[in-house]
């Protein structure tokens, strides 16, 4: 209390003193004094290289918005993958409070909480618009909070890549039989779907490792994100076919992870600033990806003569059936997975009924 | 300067005085004092009934976020249509500074600035995701600012209804010939498209007037928004067919209008708070509409036995051709319309090329 009294008294004296000078903008000065007095510093660890297009830009933009809106009272320092901790240690880092925030993708934590996978993307599931609607007005975010609550983490939607591409292939996929033995980089539920059809999913490869893995034939195929991120990796130089659509990730949501204790310690206005900034960035990343994808796709086709090839309908049908089986199997193993699955499937069916009359009817 | 000095001195004294009491939470008190001292009050006029689902909720939510994030330093009072000014006077009200903000739809201002219509929705044009991407990462918002700059208004995207429905009809539409003489409530560019095919668009009817206009036969058809807003109006009780898709408005953007002078007078942190809150609400409205539409559509079909009917392909083709003609004609009349049209069409073509490989390929 003594310290607070002293601060407060000093602040008062400072303000009185500043009035003795001819003030160009007294209100601004008042704020500046308040700001330096109350500055809180947070660290945010990401699972991406710093400033990677799309994924890597979102946390930087969040930090910028928070600093502007809080007038410097909350400053978030962003660290890329490996700077403070490995890419896949972000969840633990936020849980333990090593960092106050993280930016990552929920399916990475399937080992800790299988239900986390619903908050990235489900094969043949919700697209970006449907996902955001379910999260924010359909009960999704409340389930996500329930899944992360035991870890002391508050999840916030942290952007979306939009619908992804089917990936880069060095073997043509003419029928479901061609998936047998296919070594493909593919994460999350999608990898289990591929496995069910006889494929060999490779889960652990990072984006920068894909080029050489395809080049050396260590893998036959790889999906990363979509043109915006795939073009800079040069995957078109080491793969023959660019398949579509991205059945495995129809709208991949990213996440901001917030240490619950650090969040609760913030005053209410800074809590609101963090949440609203995340909400704005959640949309901004999708906007960035949409424009980035369309430009990069045009470049891939017109400058690099990439062959963009559709999966045959019978392959799509087989993958879809396998997805339903995988989801049922996973639900039997984990009650929370089953709880989220039931909510997700009910919403998926309802929104697809509506999109039948709207988006799907006006291509 | 004298007044500022006095304020500043008083603030200093207040802070000193507050330190004499045993402070439960001095930091919070400091903020509260600062807040009451600096409170700025804005008025926001909308073109909707207060608290109308979707459209009417967005400005209330914006005001709430701004108040929370600014800790009460910026308070926005929301007025529904007719409370301070008629629904269609919002643009003038913001331009003149009668109110600091407005919430409306840009196509209403086609008489003042024909190019404003690109920032609502263009028939067969961008859907919500594509529109947000174009606005925020494709140069769209800069063009919008250029269109409103002569009026002293800063535009911000203010939500989206998602793709709308084709409307409520009492005459079946079997071929383009059935559009001849059709009296239909339809705004914006869509109304010109209908007129070109021999229809009689009625532009001025507000939502609450549609029920009796359909019931009395004053009009043959009406589009409003989509199930979320259409169901409460009871339009299914006075129309036989619910047509789809909403070719005329594939993703209607709303707008926050900000008086440029009032905005410039805000300190930088409050400017950021207004902009970021608008960005968050822009997504929140779409999320709200998506979930609202799907629930209301299920109710219309399962409880009210509504016949949801597709426009025949030849009707869609005729409407699309008419749209191209209308856009070309309008561009010849107004250089700014033409400038925005060229940018819009280039983006529309590029994003549709990409969606062909993604969203459109995985329905």
């Amino acid at each position: 209390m003594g310290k607070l009294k002293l601060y407060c008294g000093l602040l008062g004296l400072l303000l009185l003193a500043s009035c003795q000078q001819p003030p160009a903008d007294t209100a601004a000065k008042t704020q500046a004094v308040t700001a330096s007095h109350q500055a809180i510093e947070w660290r945010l660890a990401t699972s991406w290289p710093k400033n990677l297009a799309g994924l890597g830009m979102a946390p930087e933009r969040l930090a910028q918005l928070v600093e502007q809106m809080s007038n410097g009272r909350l400053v978030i320092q962003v660290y890329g993958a490996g700077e403070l901790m490995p890419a896949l240690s972000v969840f633990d880092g936020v849980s333990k409070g090593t960092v106050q925030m993280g930016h990552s993708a929920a399916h990475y934590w399937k080992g800790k909480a299988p239900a986390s996978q619903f908050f990235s993307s489900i094969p043949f599931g919700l697209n970006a618009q449907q996902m955001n609607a379910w999260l924010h007005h359909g009960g999704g975010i409340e389930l996500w909070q329930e899944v992360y609550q035991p870890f002391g983490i508050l999840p916030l939607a942290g952007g979306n890549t939009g619908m992804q591409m089917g990936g880069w292939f060095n073997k043509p996929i003419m029928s479901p039989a061609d998936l047998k033995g296919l070594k493909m980089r593919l994460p999350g539920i999608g990898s289990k779907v591929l496995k069910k059809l006889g494929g060999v999913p490779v889960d652990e490869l990072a984006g920068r490792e894909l080029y050489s893995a395809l080049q050396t034939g260590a893998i036959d195929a790889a999906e990363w994100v979509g043109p915006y991120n795939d073009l800079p990796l040069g995957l078109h130089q080491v793969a023959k076919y660019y398949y579509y659509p991205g059945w495995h990730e129809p709208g991949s949501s990213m996440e901001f992870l917030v240490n619950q204790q650090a969040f609760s310690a913030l005053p209410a206005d800074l809590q609101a600033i963090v949440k609203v900034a995340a909400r704005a960035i959640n949309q901004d990343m999708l906007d960035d990806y949409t424009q980035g994808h369309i430009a990069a796709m045009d470049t891939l086709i017109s400058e690099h003569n990439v062959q963009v090839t559709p999966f045959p309908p019978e392959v799509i049908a087989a993958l879809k059936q396998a997805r339903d089986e995988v989801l049922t199997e996973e639900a039997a193993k984990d009650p929370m997975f089953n709880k989220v699955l039931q909510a997700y499937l009910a919403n998926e069916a309802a929104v697809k009924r509506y999109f039948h009359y709207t988006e799907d009817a006006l291509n």
Side-chain angles (χ1 to χ4, degrees), chain A residues 1-9:
Chain A
M1 281 298 160
K3 256 194 186 168
L4 278 175
K5 261 194 174 180
L6 184 63
Y7 270 144
C8 184

Side-chain angles (χ1 to χ4, degrees), chain A residues 113-118 122 147 189 326-343:
Chain A
S116 68
Q117 296 170 98
F118 288 100
I122 293 293
V147 173
I189 300 283
V326 166
L327 290 176
T328 305
E329 287 165 14
E330 297 299 308
K333 293 182 207 163
D334 185 84
M336 191 65 203
F337 189 100
N338 186 49
K339 178 177 176 175
V340 183
L341 175 64
Q342 299 314 320

Side-chain angles (χ1 to χ4, degrees), chain A residues 40-246:
Chain A
I40 296 168
E41 290 186 17
W42 272 17
R43 301 195 299 175
L44 185 158
T46 82
S47 299
W48 337 109
K50 217 166 144 77
N51 295 321
L52 177 72
L55 296 177
M57 293 304 297
E60 303 282 354
R61 287 182 180 143
L62 174 95
Q64 195 182 20
L65 295 186
V66 167
E67 188 160 349
Q68 286 172 352
M69 289 196 286
S70 72
N71 195 23
R73 286 167 54 221
L74 178 56
V75 177
I76 300 174
Q77 186 69 42
V78 177
Y79 296 87
E83 288 193 300
L84 280 184
M85 58 189 70
L88 300 188
S89 297
V90 168
F91 190 91
D92 280 344
V94 175
S95 180
K96 288 175 191 157
T98 312
V99 290
Q100 290 78 16
M101 281 188 82
H103 189 250
S104 193
H107 62 73
Y108 289 143
W109 326 124
K110 63 185 174 192
K112 297 173 194 298
S116 68
Q117 296 170 98
F118 288 100
F119 307 106
S120 288
S121 196
I122 293 293
F124 299 100
L126 306 178
N127 72 8
Q129 181 183 332
Q130 296 165 348
M131 182 71 180
N132 278 320
W134 178 61
L135 286 177
H136 300 114
H137 282 267
I141 196 89
E142 289 81 3
L143 288 167
W144 198 353
Q145 287 167 1
E146 193 178 334
V147 173
Y148 282 12
Q149 192 273 332
F151 304 93
I153 295 176
L154 175 72
L156 300 170
N160 201 299
T161 64
M163 190 172 291
Q164 303 203 353
M165 286 291 290
W168 299 91
F169 286 68
N170 276 321
K171 289 186 178 172
I173 305 299
M174 315 294 280
S175 79
D178 291 327
L179 298 174
K180 287 202 170 66
L182 184 85
K183 285 176 287 178
M184 179 174 183
R185 188 271 178 193
L186 189 65
I189 300 283
S191 70
K192 290 200 160 68
V193 172
L194 179 64
K195 201 172 176 184
K196 187 165 273 292
L197 294 178
V200 184
V202 181
D203 202 336
E204 317 82 48
L205 288 173
R208 65 190 151 67
E209 300 170 306
L210 299 181
Y211 186 97
S212 70
L214 280 167
Q215 194 175 38
T216 60
I219 54 175
D220 308 310
E223 74 76 40
W224 178 226
V225 178
Y228 193 31
N229 289 127
D230 294 0
L231 174 62
L233 289 182
L235 301 183
H236 55 282
Q237 298 160 9
V238 289
K240 285 186 196 155
Y241 314 101
Y242 202 14
Y243 269 96
Y244 75 92

Side-chain angles (χ1 to χ4, degrees), chain A residues 318-331:
Chain A
L319 289 164
K320 202 165 186 173
Q321 195 190 320
R323 149 200 134 130
D324 292 342
E325 292 168 20
V326 166
L327 290 176
T328 305
E329 287 165 14
E330 297 299 308

